[in-house]
Amino acid sequence: MKVELVECLLHIKVDHVEYPELEKTIAPFYTTKGVRLDVYLKDSNKIIDIELQCYPLKDPGKRSRYYQSMVDCDALLKGEDYSRHKESYILFICKHDPFRDENNKPYGLPCYTFRNACKEDTKVKLDDKTVKVFYNSSVYEKEKDERIRNFLHFVHTNDSGKDDFSSRLSEMVEKLKANEKFRGDYLAMNLHDRDIMERAREEGISQGISQGIRQNAVENAKNLLAMNLGTHEQISQAVGLPLEKVKELAQENTKIPSPRHTSSIKS
């Protein structure tokens, strides 16, 4: 299923998959910030990283640059000479338009594809074997390829419709939701920690902490627990409550799932 999806979205052929890795972690050195890739595929001459982005993607260029550098670093650390680098694709599937103009208006394209080319003459290609692709499901109706359009519609609405491929994807998603192994916590890596804290601030979850209002902090903690956004330690840091208080709140209502404990790799 993953190979079929990748071939459809990137318009390439994948001859075989050496090893598919979900939530692949790359942390080259203990002093550097690691990254957790959502889905990581390889074949004989390609590396493909697929990132699923449900929330607005900030700094898409820098984010994709960082993922690309980590993929390259991972290959070099395994003894591969730079001249033998495989083609690499960083693929983002977004529910919100990742690119906006100077007036903060979305460009409104269903797909953005980037390859390095010469500014003075675009016919001159750098040929560094890297491609970055961003799909924007919020304008799925603009996509000309029917199969991709149906997939983006499914991503944006969670409605697979009558499309066979999207229906199979929907069935797979439901199975994964019920599988504890795939409900693991992405928050073990610092990059995801920052995303969660930023989302908490943007949604007003942490509003009132700066004002020192304990009741607001308690409500914020309850909201984060209810949405399963972070470990108890991370929620404690985000809302400014003692760790024991957060654990007490988690136990007060058995309907609130207790986040899985994971250790964070700090930058």
Side-chain angles (χ1 to χ4, degrees):
M1 176 66 76
K2 289 185 287 289
V3 172
E4 188 178 358
L5 175 61
V6 167
E7 290 184 335
C8 177
L9 294 179
L10 295 180
H11 308 289
I12 60 175
K13 279 293 181 183
V14 177
D15 53 36
H16 73 285
V17 175
E18 292 182 9
Y19 56 91
E21 294 190 40
L22 300 183
E23 303 179 29
K24 175 180 172 64
T25 296
I26 298 177
F29 306 101
Y30 74 93
T31 56
T32 62
K33 174 161 61 65
V35 63
R36 176 164 291 177
L37 308 178
D38 285 350
V39 181
Y40 186 81
L41 301 175
K42 270 188 179 182
D43 76 352
S44 57
N45 60 3
K46 289 181 283 294
I47 297 175
I48 303 162
D49 166 38
I50 307 171
E51 298 297 321
L52 308 175
Q53 199 70 28
C54 294
Y55 289 82
L57 179 65
K58 289 194 171 183
D59 297 319
K62 294 178 181 178
R63 178 70 67 99
S64 61
R65 172 184 168 184
Y66 183 69
Y67 283 128
Q68 180 65 64
S69 67
M70 296 300 278
V71 167
D72 288 342
C73 189
D74 184 53
L76 287 174
L77 284 174
K78 293 177 180 177
E80 183 175 335
D81 185 79
Y82 74 87
S83 63
R84 296 174 60 86
H85 266 335
K86 299 173 183 284
E87 292 180 58
S88 69
Y89 295 82
I90 308 297
L91 170 61
F92 280 87
I93 301 172
C94 307
K95 294 191 71 171
H96 303 267
D97 198 320
F99 296 99
R100 294 172 176 270
D101 63 19
E102 62 277 7
N103 297 316
N104 201 34
K105 181 181 178 181
Y107 282 102
L109 297 179
C111 182
Y112 303 86
T113 302
F114 298 91
R115 297 175 185 265
N116 289 323
C118 178
K119 178 181 178 181
E120 287 73 19
D121 187 344
T122 56
K123 295 191 297 294
V124 180
K125 309 299 181 183
L126 186 60
D127 195 29
D128 59 353
K129 306 299 183 185
T130 65
V131 184
K132 301 174 180 68
V133 180
F134 299 78
Y135 274 98
N136 168 26
S137 71
S138 68
V139 290
Y140 61 85
E141 69 279 357
K142 292 183 179 181
E143 173 57 47
K144 295 180 180 179
D145 186 301
E146 182 180 5
R147 198 177 187 195
I148 296 177
R149 183 169 65 249
N150 290 335
F151 168 72
L152 294 179
H153 174 266
F154 168 59
V155 169
H156 197 69
T157 65
N158 203 33
D159 177 13
S160 60
K162 297 181 179 180
D163 179 65
D164 176 65
F165 182 63
S166 296
S167 296
R168 284 185 284 136
L169 277 175
S170 179
E171 290 176 6
M172 184 177 71
V173 168
E174 292 305 315
K175 289 180 180 179
L176 291 178
K177 284 181 180 179
N179 189 324
E180 287 292 334
K181 180 179 179 182
F182 292 96
R183 289 168 58 191
D185 192 353
Y186 282 111
L187 306 179
M189 301 304 289
N190 182 255
L191 182 63
H192 289 278
D193 291 344
R194 276 211 327 273
D195 288 345
I196 292 299
M197 300 314 171
E198 181 64 22
R199 277 157 48 188
R201 283 194 293 271
E202 289 181 353
E203 294 171 10
I205 295 175
S206 60
Q207 185 181 11
I209 295 175
S210 60
Q211 301 172 5
I213 303 176
R214 183 176 178 82
Q215 184 57 40
N216 280 355
V218 169
E219 292 302 318
N220 295 333
K222 288 180 178 179
N223 288 336
L224 288 170
L225 287 166
M227 292 185 288
N228 201 24
L229 291 181
T231 64
H232 293 157
E233 290 84 355
Q234 291 163 342
I235 292 173
S236 171
Q237 294 176 11
V239 303
L241 285 177
L243 177 59
E244 291 304 314
K245 180 61 177 177
V246 174
K247 291 181 177 179
E248 177 185 330
L249 293 172
Q251 294 174 354
E252 283 180 359
N253 190 342
T254 56
K255 294 182 180 179
I256 298 179
S258 179
R260 213 175 136 191
H261 178 80
T262 58
S263 59
S264 291
I265 297 177
K266 300 298 182 182
S267 57

